[in-house]
Amino acid sequence: MDKIKMTNPIVEMDGDEMTRILWKMIKEHLLEPFVELNTEYYDLGLEHRNATDDQVTVDSANAVKKHKVAVKCATITPNAARMTEYDLKEMWKSPNGTIRAILDGTVFRAPIVVKGIEPCVRNWKKPITIARHAYGDVYKNTEMKIPGTGKAELVFTDKDGRESRELIHEFDGAGIIQGMHNVDRSIESFARSCFNYALDTKQDLWFATKDTISKKYDHTFKDIFQEIYDAEYEEKFKAAGIMYFYTLIDDAVARVMKSEGGFIWACKNYDGDVMSDMVSSAFGSLAMMTSVLVSPEGFYEYEAAHGTVQRHYYKHLKGEETSTNSVATIFAWTGALQKRGELDHNRELMAFADRLEKATIATIEEGKMTKDLALITTNPNPVVLNSEDFIKAIAERL
Ligand code: NAP
Ligand code: MG
């Protein structure tokens, strides 16, 4: 059999611990036998990040600007314990944070729906994709504890020194205040990323804020989405047969619970933080989630939503058997290959990515799965496979 060729490369960002082990197995059993893999490889494993003073992370993000498509393995974000474990020169920043800052994107997360792993919300039939704005609001706030009686104000000083003021509260006792911000440019790129992703995946887009209470702050989010939709997307949405729907956040929550799924839910930063954990746990598991960073310029970085599965890695190092779920990492690869195929008009590559996803789902549906899924499946007789045998079972099906 001739291997499928790739005209342009994808940026390959290798990572750490158990997911680095899975990465190698996936390439060996599921990709290389079928595809002449064309990747530009960057080793984002912590040792190499440390050796290059984290330059490799910056280089890999810049490579995405050139090649447009990347696939990333989970990576360690160093903390104090990792400083000693890896003898680090510095507590390097989160690679995902560095890459997001360079590509300026929105993160889309969607559950991988499989028969036998049922969502706890009975009427959810199709995945719900959460699009989380990743800049500002309460994540970049300034807070004060107010000790007692006094006046708190918001003050803005323009570049010529003119001040405008708004009273927050006249305190007659102790209390608290909080200042937060966002910038139009970031909200605009968030909106465009969401509209583009909706068109790409042919799904409706929902957006919600609390604009009735927050008449300037949240209302600005609502207005920016609406202006961009009217000016740039209305026609395209009509042609694609999808819709943009705005409502209040509490109404959105009620409607989401009663829906069948199958849409994108754009969330402000805090709402996205809270709602993505609700949606992912209701659908089953972080190891059954896809995650992609989409930049407004049309760059795509695919990854797994979970971390490096450290506990399993230590078992692996001791020579013990592991049963680590590789589905999210496999889907990071298929997402990237699919997008590469689409951009290069490479139908064979797209078809391959599709077959690999179907083989993965079919393997689980016929009862072969890793331990995490065996614990939650409705299948009465699941066969629990170890990390490598699960990947081999998919390869056999493929
Ligand atoms: P984690 O790697 O997501 O694992 C937490 C626990 O969730 C695991 O111990 C395991 O539970 C379960 N789990 C997660 N993924 C699984 C999979 N694929 N198959 C089976 N079980 C899975 O989070 P963590 O242990 O808190 O973090 C480890 C490292 O990952 C940290 O250094 C952190 O910085 C990094 N991290 C990276 C990313 C990223 O690169 N995107 C994201 C998050 C965390 P059991 O142990 O009960 O089996
Ligand atoms: Mg969170």
Side-chain angles (χ1 to χ4, degrees), residues 104-145:
D104 175 28
T106 301
V107 177
F108 295 87
R109 289 202 163 165
I112 299 160
V113 177
V114 176
K115 281 195 210 82
I117 313 291
E118 306 300 334
C120 345
V121 180
R122 257 179 296 131
N123 43 287
W124 287 0
K125 306 275 184 263
K126 294 180 230 160
I128 294 168
T129 303
I130 298 270
R132 176 181 171 189
H133 186 210
Y135 179 82
D137 301 350
V138 75
Y139 300 86
K140 279 232 179 247
N141 72 355
T142 308
E143 305 182 321
M144 274 170 89
K145 271 181 176 277

XYZ file of all heavy atoms in Angstrom, residues 104-145:
337
model
N -2.706 34.645 19.928
C -3.913 35.409 20.275
C -5.195 34.691 19.855
O -5.880 35.134 18.945
C -3.842 36.806 19.625
C -5.132 37.605 19.859
O -5.802 37.357 20.891
O -5.473 38.445 19.017
N -5.492 33.622 20.502
C -6.658 32.860 20.029
C -7.741 32.609 21.052
O -7.728 33.144 22.153
N -8.695 31.806 20.625
C -9.784 31.343 21.465
C -9.682 29.826 21.533
O -9.373 29.186 20.529
C -11.135 31.734 20.831
O -11.165 33.150 20.690
C -12.309 31.286 21.690
N -9.932 29.253 22.717
C -9.841 27.803 22.862
C -11.229 27.174 22.739
O -12.155 27.582 23.437
C -9.212 27.426 24.216
C -9.182 25.914 24.392
C -7.819 27.994 24.332
N -11.366 26.217 21.842
C -12.629 25.499 21.654
C -12.468 24.085 22.195
O -11.542 23.377 21.804
C -12.980 25.439 20.165
C -13.253 26.790 19.570
C -12.219 27.557 19.062
C -14.538 27.307 19.548
C -12.465 28.817 18.529
C -14.795 28.564 19.015
C -13.746 29.325 18.502
N -13.374 23.696 23.077
C -13.321 22.333 23.647
C -14.637 21.620 23.427
O -15.696 22.149 23.767
C -13.043 22.414 25.145
C -11.635 22.857 25.388
C -11.133 22.475 26.730
N -9.682 22.602 26.669
C -8.879 22.627 27.693
N -9.387 22.507 28.912
N -7.574 22.739 27.540
N -14.564 20.411 22.880
C -15.789 19.649 22.613
C -15.613 18.206 23.046
O -14.547 17.617 22.836
C -16.120 19.695 21.124
N -16.638 17.608 23.667
C -16.549 16.204 24.052
C -16.574 15.280 22.839
O -17.186 15.606 21.826
C -17.787 15.987 24.921
C -18.706 17.092 24.597
C -17.902 18.232 24.079
N -15.894 14.146 22.948
C -15.926 13.110 21.922
C -17.018 12.130 22.346
O -16.904 11.487 23.392
C -14.560 12.401 21.826
C -13.466 13.418 21.450
C -14.604 11.241 20.839
C -12.059 12.965 21.789
N -18.080 12.093 21.572
C -19.260 11.332 21.990
C -19.180 9.891 21.485
O -18.940 9.646 20.296
C -20.544 12.018 21.481
C -21.772 11.206 21.827
C -20.651 13.414 22.090
N -19.330 8.950 22.401
C -19.197 7.529 22.100
C -20.371 6.785 22.731
O -20.735 7.088 23.872
C -17.883 6.985 22.722
C -17.739 5.495 22.519
C -16.686 7.708 22.158
N -20.942 5.816 22.006
C -22.025 5.014 22.606
C -21.453 4.188 23.748
O -20.392 3.592 23.624
C -22.636 4.075 21.560
C -23.595 4.783 20.635
C -24.436 3.754 19.861
C -24.804 4.326 18.502
N -23.737 4.186 17.483
N -22.142 4.185 24.864
C -21.630 3.436 26.013
C -21.008 4.355 27.054
O -20.798 3.959 28.185
N -20.657 5.579 26.643
C -20.214 6.600 27.603
C -21.274 7.692 27.501
O -21.202 8.549 26.628
C -18.817 7.173 27.250
C -17.809 6.062 26.934
C -18.306 8.112 28.355
C -17.397 5.202 28.098
N -22.284 7.604 28.357
C -23.457 8.461 28.183
C -23.350 9.733 29.031
O -22.945 9.668 30.187
C -24.730 7.694 28.605
C -24.923 6.347 27.922
C -25.017 6.436 26.394
O -25.412 7.497 25.882
O -24.681 5.435 25.721
N -23.737 10.879 28.456
C -23.755 12.103 29.266
C -24.772 11.988 30.399
O -25.793 11.310 30.248
C -24.163 13.203 28.276
C -24.639 12.526 27.054
C -24.158 11.113 27.069
N -24.474 12.630 31.548
C -25.454 12.558 32.653
C -26.710 13.345 32.321
O -27.738 13.130 32.952
C -24.931 13.074 33.977
S -23.215 13.292 34.154
N -26.619 14.296 31.375
C -27.829 15.013 30.976
C -28.463 14.204 29.844
O -27.909 14.110 28.751
C -27.493 16.449 30.523
C -28.755 17.194 30.117
C -26.763 17.193 31.636
N -29.609 13.592 30.134
C -30.210 12.596 29.238
C -30.466 13.096 27.833
O -30.306 12.370 26.866
C -31.538 12.113 29.841
C -31.468 10.765 30.494
C -32.823 10.394 31.073
N -33.181 11.330 32.143
C -34.344 11.955 32.256
N -35.290 11.764 31.374
N -34.591 12.781 33.262
N -30.921 14.388 27.720
C -31.305 14.881 26.395
C -30.135 15.365 25.556
O -30.315 15.724 24.403
C -32.361 15.983 26.520
C -32.045 16.951 27.616
O -32.171 16.614 28.794
N -31.580 18.129 27.265
N -28.908 15.392 26.088
C -27.748 15.793 25.282
C -27.386 14.657 24.330
O -26.874 13.621 24.748
C -26.542 16.131 26.162
C -26.669 17.443 26.891
C -27.714 18.315 26.832
C -25.726 18.014 27.804
N -27.470 19.398 27.646
C -26.262 19.246 28.250
C -24.463 17.619 28.278
C -25.591 20.069 29.157
C -23.800 18.441 29.177
C -24.360 19.644 29.598
N -27.670 14.873 23.034
C -27.399 13.835 22.041
C -26.124 14.144 21.257
O -25.488 13.252 20.714
C -28.557 13.748 21.028
C -29.934 13.552 21.669
C -30.225 12.085 21.940
C -31.626 11.875 22.486
N -31.621 11.782 23.971
N -25.821 15.433 21.117
C -24.659 15.851 20.325
C -23.723 16.664 21.207
O -24.152 17.239 22.209
C -25.128 16.717 19.151
C -25.976 15.959 18.141
C -26.403 16.873 17.011
C -27.888 16.761 16.777
N -28.425 17.902 16.052
N -22.448 16.742 20.829
C -21.502 17.474 21.678
C -21.837 18.962 21.795
O -22.387 19.554 20.866
C -20.158 17.268 20.983
C -20.446 16.716 19.647
C -21.803 16.098 19.687
N -21.493 19.539 22.940
C -21.578 20.987 23.118
C -20.146 21.506 23.181
O -19.342 21.039 23.987
C -22.330 21.332 24.422
C -23.790 20.883 24.317
C -22.252 22.839 24.707
C -24.545 20.910 25.637
N -19.836 22.427 22.272
C -18.483 22.982 22.222
C -18.446 24.288 23.007
O -19.261 25.170 22.765
C -18.096 23.273 20.761
O -18.209 22.065 20.015
C -16.675 23.803 20.656
N -17.517 24.375 23.948
C -17.362 25.632 24.691
C -16.228 26.433 24.060
O -15.135 25.914 23.825
C -17.008 25.357 26.170
C -18.134 24.589 26.862
C -16.675 26.665 26.890
C -19.200 25.409 27.522
N -16.508 27.709 23.752
C -15.479 28.619 23.253
C -15.216 29.624 24.359
O -16.081 30.424 24.696
C -15.973 29.323 22.000
N -14.024 29.561 24.924
C -13.727 30.410 26.074
C -12.809 31.556 25.693
O -11.713 31.349 25.176
C -13.068 29.566 27.175
C -12.643 30.401 28.355
C -11.966 29.539 29.422
N -11.376 30.400 30.444
C -10.575 29.962 31.406
N -10.269 28.680 31.470
N -10.080 30.791 32.285
N -13.272 32.785 25.969
C -12.420 33.958 25.796
C -11.287 33.852 26.800
O -11.529 33.611 27.980
C -13.256 35.218 26.054
C -12.527 36.492 25.776
N -12.789 37.660 26.440
C -11.555 36.783 24.890
C -12.007 38.619 25.974
N -11.253 38.108 25.031
N -10.050 34.004 26.348
C -8.936 33.716 27.248
C -8.193 34.973 27.705
O -7.035 34.910 28.087
C -7.990 32.719 26.586
N -8.853 36.138 27.658
C -8.165 37.353 28.114
C -9.040 38.186 29.054
O -10.226 38.410 28.794
C -7.733 38.232 26.921
C -7.056 39.502 27.367
C -5.713 39.505 27.710
C -7.790 40.673 27.527
C -5.111 40.646 28.191
C -7.198 41.832 28.008
C -5.843 41.808 28.338
O -5.253 42.946 28.823
N -8.456 38.685 30.113
C -9.040 39.753 30.922
C -10.143 39.372 31.885
O -10.246 38.232 32.331
N -11.003 40.351 32.201
C -12.048 40.254 33.227
C -11.422 39.942 34.593
O -10.369 40.467 34.917
C -13.127 39.216 32.850
C -13.820 39.534 31.524
O -13.605 40.640 31.013
O -14.559 38.681 31.010
N -12.028 39.030 35.314
C -11.605 38.794 36.693
C -10.197 38.150 36.761
O -9.541 38.188 37.798
C -12.687 37.973 37.438
C -12.666 36.526 37.021
C -12.574 38.128 38.936
N -9.726 37.593 35.611
C -8.393 36.962 35.581
C -7.272 37.998 35.516
O -6.100 37.654 35.619
C -8.301 35.963 34.416
C -9.352 34.898 34.591
C -10.648 35.093 34.118
C -9.084 33.753 35.322
C -11.644 34.167 34.348
C -10.077 32.816 35.559
C -11.354 33.026 35.075
O -12.335 32.114 35.321
N -7.611 39.253 35.265
C -6.599 40.322 35.299
C -7.125 41.440 36.189
O -7.147 42.603 35.804
C -6.369 40.861 33.876
C -5.440 40.015 33.037
C -4.344 40.890 32.445
C -3.388 40.068 31.622
N -2.067 40.009 32.221
N -7.621 41.088 37.376
C -8.295 42.095 38.200
C -7.362 42.747 39.208
O -6.219 42.337 39.386
C -9.505 41.474 38.904
C -9.100 40.532 40.010
O -7.917 40.260 40.214
N -10.056 40.025 40.740
N -7.869 43.816 39.823
C -7.197 44.473 40.940
C -8.231 44.559 42.049
O -9.368 44.957 41.790
C -6.774 45.900 40.542
O -6.047 45.811 39.321
C -5.911 46.540 41.605
N -7.822 44.170 43.250
C -8.807 44.116 44.330
C -8.298 44.869 45.554
O -7.080 44.989 45.747
C -9.055 42.656 44.750
C -9.456 41.747 43.626
C -9.731 40.324 44.094
O -9.005 39.813 44.975
O -10.687 39.725 43.593
N -9.223 45.356 46.340
C -8.858 46.011 47.605
C -9.831 45.583 48.694
O -11.023 45.442 48.430
C -8.980 47.540 47.472
C -7.754 48.203 46.906
S -8.132 49.920 46.517
C -7.740 50.689 48.047
N -9.283 45.426 49.883
C -10.143 45.283 51.057
C -10.335 46.681 51.618
O -9.361 47.429 51.773
C -9.461 44.404 52.104
C -9.748 42.922 51.943
C -9.042 42.156 53.058
C -9.376 40.687 53.015
N -10.643 40.360 53.681
